[in-house]
Amino acid sequence: DLYVAIDFTSSNGDPRVPGTLHYREEEGLNDYEETIVSVGKAIARYSARQEFSVWGFGAKYSGIVRHIFQLGAHATAKGIDGVLDAYKSVFLTDLTMSGPTDITSVVKAAASRAKKFEDG
């Protein structure tokens, strides 16, 4: 399966500033959305379930840095469009770009889920 982890550290720049990786214009996709679509669609065609975990890391919520957090309302997103919706939904929250860049929790979570599929 596909696990998507998106970097919300401040090194990506303020998402409200044109030219930064998370900046969204009225039309078109930002750098993250383009990557989700191109890589995601290439990998997704091999998934029968089309349900993907979508996580973020490196952001602050309520003043606490989170090294892993769920994007979207559900534990998995349905298809690549669902991944995009989950990604976009995070900007409707009180997220603050932060740091440091630490993907250890994301790698551990993905490995744990992959192990369950292997065993099951």
Side-chain angles (χ1 to χ4, degrees):
D1 266 349
L2 175 65
Y3 304 104
V4 178
I6 299 172
D7 182 356
F8 289 99
T9 58
S10 57
S11 62
N12 288 292
D14 187 329
R16 298 168 294 195
V17 175
T20 60
L21 298 175
H22 290 288
Y23 179 73
R24 298 195 67 240
E25 295 188 37
E26 292 295 319
E27 294 188 26
L29 303 174
N30 69 24
D31 291 341
Y32 273 92
E33 292 165 330
E34 286 179 5
T35 302
I36 290 167
V37 170
S38 62
V39 174
K41 285 190 176 183
I43 295 171
R45 67 177 154 200
Y46 299 103
S47 173
R49 294 184 322 121
Q50 294 291 304
E51 292 183 13
F52 310 117
S53 297
V54 187
W55 301 311
F57 63 93
K60 277 186 186 177
Y61 281 100
S62 302
I64 300 170
V65 175
R66 308 290 179 182
H67 297 297
I68 187 170
F69 53 93
Q70 175 182 307
L71 273 63
H74 306 287
T76 58
K78 187 70 173 164
I80 297 306
D81 287 339
V83 173
L84 284 172
D85 290 344
Y87 166 70
K88 292 173 187 175
S89 75
V90 79
F91 295 104
L92 303 174
T93 68
D94 66 342
L95 167 130
T96 302
M97 308 289 266
S98 188
T101 303
D102 180 355
I103 64 167
T104 305
S105 297
V106 170
V107 171
K108 286 180 179 179
S112 174
R113 291 192 183 187
K115 179 77 172 139
K116 288 179 187 175
F117 280 110
E118 181 182 292
D119 294 342

